[in-house]
């Protein structure tokens, strides 16, 4: 088993270049981390200005990780949630009739099958860590942004308006969960 973590530097930094969408799509999640507040910054400084840095220890071995991976694979995803994920992902694609107005206007490219898989894998893992045998709508909601934000590519208008994929994905979620709407999530919540 292996895990790749990467940081994304600002585009204007000399010597760094944005990854093509095909490579970005290979990452399961994109987690955004803002600047630390005062107490967090103080803790960072306390930990990093000492002469001996702390050493990270193993949290689990390869067999324990494989066991957790097998357990996550066994988490049940009800058919209604598989349909909901399909609907959510289709709503991110600007050429689709079910896309939201924001997606149609500001997105160049939406999420695809890898995004749907990432959303379900994340939801299954969250259910496992919560001690539940099945995925819930809350798991989908929590995993939506990390699983799809890097798969939603803004067009020029979206970039010039300063929009974020998170804002458009929130619109997608809301459109799918509105009770008065005809969406699958509306019928299932």
């Amino acid at each position: 088993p292996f895990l790749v973590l990467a940081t994304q530097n600002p585009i204007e930094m000399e010597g760094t270049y944005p990854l093509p969408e095909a490579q970005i799509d290979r990452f399961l999640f994109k987690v955004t981390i803002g600047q630390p507040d005062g107490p967090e910054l103080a803790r960072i400084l306390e930990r990093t200005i000492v002469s001996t840095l702390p050493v990270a220890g193993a949290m689990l071995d390869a067999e324990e990780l494989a066991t957790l991976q097998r357990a996550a694979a066994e988490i049940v995803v009800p058919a209604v949630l598989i349909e909901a994920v399909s609907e959510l992902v289709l709503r991110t694609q600007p050429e689709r009739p079910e896309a939201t107005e924001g997606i149609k206007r500001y997105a160049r490219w939406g999420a695809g099958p890898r995004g749907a898989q990432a959303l379900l894998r994340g939801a299954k893992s969250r259910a496992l860590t919560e001690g539940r045998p099945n995925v819930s709508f809350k798991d989908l909601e929590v995993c939506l942004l990390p699983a799809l934000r890097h798969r939603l590519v803004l067009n020029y208008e979206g970039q010039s308006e300063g929009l974020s994929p998170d804002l458009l994905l929130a619109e997608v979620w809301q459109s799918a969960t509105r009770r008065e709407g005809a969406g699958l999530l509306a019928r299932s919540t």
Side-chain angles (χ1 to χ4, degrees):
F2 68 95
L3 172 71
V4 177
L5 296 176
T7 59
Q8 185 175 12
N9 295 319
I11 293 172
E12 59 271 6
M13 297 291 289
E14 186 175 330
T16 64
Y17 305 93
L19 291 174
E21 285 91 12
Q23 290 179 0
I24 291 173
D25 195 37
R26 292 336 191 255
F27 286 90
L28 181 71
F29 276 4
K30 178 180 180 180
V31 178
T32 57
I33 301 171
Q35 291 293 326
D37 63 16
E40 287 174 307
L41 182 55
R43 283 193 298 279
I44 290 169
L45 293 173
E46 288 169 357
R47 292 179 184 153
T48 58
I49 61 170
V50 294
S51 60
T52 56
L53 294 176
V55 177
M59 296 301 291
L60 39 107
D61 62 32
E63 183 54 40
E64 291 169 317
L65 178 59
T67 299
L68 285 172
Q69 288 174 328
R70 286 190 298 273
E74 295 298 320
I75 296 293
V76 175
V77 182
V80 68
L81 293 187
I82 291 173
E83 291 176 38
V85 168
S86 296
E87 181 177 321
L88 285 165
V89 167
L90 291 175
R91 285 173 184 251
T92 71
Q93 299 169 2
E95 73 281 0
R96 303 288 301 200
E98 57 267 68
T100 65
E101 289 307 310
I103 293 289
K104 288 177 182 177
R105 181 172 177 188
Y106 298 114
R108 181 168 58 97
W109 196 256
R114 275 197 191 95
Q117 291 169 333
L119 181 51
L120 280 176
R121 285 188 177 123
K124 288 176 88 164
S125 296
R126 183 177 188 276
L128 178 67
T129 62
E130 299 274 321
R132 287 182 281 104
N134 61 285
V135 172
S136 71
F137 278 101
K138 184 66 177 173
D139 297 323
L140 296 181
E141 183 179 19
V142 168
C143 295
L144 180 75
L145 295 180
L148 300 184
R149 69 169 43 111
H150 56 297
R151 294 177 166 92
L152 184 64
V153 179
L154 299 177
N155 60 20
Y156 177 76
E157 187 176 2
Q159 291 174 15
S160 67
E161 293 282 335
L163 298 179
S164 73
D166 289 12
L167 181 67
L168 295 178
L169 289 168
E171 178 187 70
V172 166
W173 180 262
Q174 289 171 350
S175 75
T177 57
R178 238 182 259 131
R179 289 210 174 269
E180 68 273 15
L184 176 63
L185 292 178
R187 293 190 304 270
S188 304
T189 54

